[in-house]
Amino acid sequence: DTEDHIAWLLQHGWHEKALAAVEAGQGRTELLDEVGTRYLDHLIIERKYAEAAQLCPKLLRGSPSAWERWVFHFAHLRQLPVLIPYIPIENPQLSDTAYEVALVALTTNASFHELLLTTIKSWPPTLYSASPVISAIEPQLNSSSMTNSLKEALAELYVINSQYEKALSLFAELLKPEVFEFIEKHSLHDAIHD
């Protein structure tokens, strides 16, 4: 029957054909989860991380537990940056830990700092706690690994955490033109008095 056919395709490494057969409505819907997992595992073994990440929205759909499992799996493989653009922020919404792990992963390498900044600006701050991410960035503050993008990301996290004076000093250091509006908005006149 069709399920045997799908199993046969999987055994022979034809994951795409198996996925196409399941999507064509052949076999039980639980099969999609099994085929999806097998296909993602196959891509990971082949080190095709970007391809696996692109397929996640289609294969994991609205399952928070499946998404979290793969977020942590990509983290373990140090491949989270390729998955981050696909991680859902609603329908489903994941645990705050999953989002924090993703953000912290972006602090480790200067080539990810721009993605970290855009992610912090695009994800609603209610999804995660800023503190673990701040803790991951602060030790790098005066090191050579500190980029302007990482500084700005830290400033944005300080704003989320209502640490406006710390954010102000970073915005000023970055010579951000909106620093004056920031001082007005958060009544930081005393902080700049000296």
Side-chain angles (χ1 to χ4, degrees):
D1 66 3
T2 52
E3 292 196 15
D4 291 331
H5 174 63
I6 290 166
W8 183 86
L9 289 170
L10 286 173
Q11 280 174 343
H12 291 83
W14 291 334
H15 298 87
E16 277 182 83
K17 287 183 179 179
L19 184 60
V22 174
E23 285 179 324
Q26 302 174 3
R28 302 183 322 276
T29 48
E30 301 86 63
L31 257 181
L32 182 59
D33 296 334
E34 186 190 331
V35 171
T37 300
R38 298 265 298 267
Y39 192 13
L40 288 174
D41 283 336
H42 166 73
L43 290 171
I44 296 288
I45 289 166
E46 299 277 311
R47 296 182 193 274
K48 294 180 180 174
Y49 304 115
E51 205 178 314
Q54 281 178 324
L55 277 171
C56 281
K58 179 179 174 179
L59 299 176
L60 307 179
R61 299 174 318 280
S63 167
S65 60
W67 267 106
E68 287 175 18
R69 190 169 64 249
W70 283 100
V71 165
F72 293 119
H73 192 56
F74 272 78
H76 175 72
L77 297 167
R78 289 181 163 60
Q79 294 297 324
L80 255 180
V82 295
L83 183 64
I84 285 174
Y86 304 101
I87 295 176
I89 55 174
E90 56 182 15
N91 303 325
Q93 184 175 326
L94 312 183
S95 70
D96 52 354
T97 308
Y99 296 110
E100 290 157 14
V101 164
L103 292 171
V104 167
L106 295 177
T107 66
T108 58
N109 186 319
S111 61
F112 307 143
H113 293 171
E114 192 61 43
L115 177 59
L116 173 67
L117 179 58
T118 56
T119 306
I120 287 170
K121 286 182 173 182
S122 65
W123 281 0
T126 52
L127 288 180
Y128 58 91
S129 166
S131 299
V133 192
I134 290 171
S135 298
I137 299 173
E138 281 180 336
Q140 301 179 57
L141 252 177
N142 298 315
S143 72
S144 59
S145 62
M146 194 67 175
T147 61
N148 282 347
S149 295
L150 190 60
K151 252 184 215 169
E152 192 176 342
L154 181 58
E156 294 290 343
L157 290 164
Y158 282 148
V159 171
I160 291 168
N161 248 15
S162 303
Q163 295 174 281
Y164 303 119
E165 287 188 25
K166 285 184 170 185
L168 171 64
S169 72
L170 289 174
F171 285 142
E173 212 176 297
L174 291 164
L175 303 176
K176 288 283 179 192
E178 59 271 21
V179 76
F180 297 107
E181 291 149 43
F182 187 79
I183 292 166
E184 282 295 318
K185 183 179 176 186
H186 299 290
S187 304
L188 295 169
H189 301 99
D190 290 344
I192 58 160
H193 188 74
D194 293 337

